[in-house]
Amino acid sequence: MPYLEDELFPSTPGKFKIERTHNMNRQFHRCFASTSIMFLWALFLIVLTASYLSFRSFVDSGNRYLTVSWGGIQWEKQIRNSAHIRRPGGMSVLVTGAAGFVGSHVSLALKKRGDGVVGLDNFNNYYDPSLKKARQSLLNSQGILVVEGDLNDAGLLAQLFDALAFTHVLHLAAQAGVRYAMENPNSYVHSNIAGLVALLEICKSADPQPAFVWASSSSVYGLNEKVPFSESDRTDRPASLYAATKKAGEEITHTYNHIYGLSITGLRFFTVYGPWGRPDMAYFSFTKNILQGKTITIYKGKNGEDLARDFTYIDDIVRGCLGSLDTSGESTGSGGKKRGPAPYRNFNLGNTSPVKVPRLVNILEKHLRAKAKRKIVEMPGNGDVPFTHANISLAQREFGYKPTTDLQTGLKKFVRWYLSYYGYTRKDIQ
Ligand SMILES: O=C(O)[C@H]1O[C@H](OP(=O)(O)OP(=O)(O)OC[C@H]2O[C@@H](n3ccc(=O)[nH]c3=O)[C@H](O)[C@@H]2O)[C@H](O)[C@@H](O)[C@H]1O
């Protein structure tokens, strides 16, 4: 049986040598060629993998910038510019709900006096978001950045607090509206409870901790009948889910004060109105409907009595917000640890002179030079309370709060703004 070696190496002398050398060359070339091919393949695979990975990271970063309007070096620079303090002893304030009614006014006032302001707003569509966008443009024109994002986005909050050590947080973002709570209860839990806790969590962990001032509501007095409403009055009988979430907010903030040493100030706003206001509120929707010749519905109490509100003009509220920020006192904790007791305060910010709703309509008719088509109906059981009336002596004592605008004057300013913003001319209301 021939050996394998004999098959590979034929026995013919002379030829053998040549054939063998030739075969060895062929083997060598074949071997060299296959090693080169393998090497090229490996190289090709490495290049392919590297290209894929860099393509993925490009796509990922592209997606990040397409879907998220925050993050990155440029963004952090914008935050720092917006929060830049231009007066001695000034503050850098994160204003949540900055594209909202009260938020936009207070942000402008803070910026004007030299404080740094960064806004945060989710631009939800509870009412016309184009009005919020218009307020945002106004703020931008004054050098205030309004970041678009939700309070419940922990990643965004972390980035904001990483970018800047805010001295104060003015938390005005909320699901507002008393009667809407029956339509969309979850939105109140999302913003007024979960959103509040998310924000408090980041504040408590911050080092240093900011002082925390936030919007509670006159609605916490609920079915309270003692007038005027004082901060020490009962607030355990809310009439609406909205009121209940604001009351819960007062309790929640108390725990963060108690456990973590956060300085807390809650502001109980009384039916705030004025230019750049909220379209869902009565004075705003009445104005719109009166101008369009549509019927307005006016609620009456169970016994036929008129409802009344302690309507408070926006400029007075702005002064109240600045006063409470200025006197907030410092948080004592840092990095989630309490180091001592910190202030916990709640203040009424009202006007101290309630006005009946039909009187509000009379004033609007005068300013709009138009008659309202009124439909009077009994107040539906939807969370409304018959009246509100603030005792403001506590805020007066603490930071000199003193409202100066009566409803007649304030509505005149509102109507002037409304006509101009919605493009009416004087001729339209002759
Ligand atoms: O102080 C607050 O904490 C709250 O103030 C505001 O609530 P309210 O005082 O209820 O204001 P608003 O809706 O303007 O109704 C005013 C009056 O008009 C009556 N009203 C209302 C609507 C209508 O169609 N007809 C009517 O008679 C109505 O019955 C009421 O008597 C904020 O919206 C709320 O977010 C919260 O901040």
Side-chain angles (χ1 to χ4, degrees), residues 354-374:
V355 175
K356 291 178 173 171
V357 176
R359 165 92 185 116
L360 164 95
V361 178
N362 294 346
I363 299 172
L364 285 175
E365 285 180 326
K366 189 178 133 215
H367 293 320
L368 295 168
R369 297 180 200 163
K371 269 256 136 315
K373 292 179 187 151
R374 304 176 189 221

Side-chain angles (χ1 to χ4, degrees), residues 369-380:
R369 297 180 200 163
K371 269 256 136 315
K373 292 179 187 151
R374 304 176 189 221
K375 181 177 158 204
I376 317 284
V377 304
E378 190 177 295
M379 180 175 85

Side-chain angles (χ1 to χ4, degrees), residues 54-70:
S54 59
F55 175 71
R56 275 309 307 246
S57 96
F58 170 76
V59 168
D60 286 351
S61 66
N63 278 346
R64 204 155 78 86
Y65 289 111
L66 283 177
T67 56
V68 175
S69 58
W70 47 267

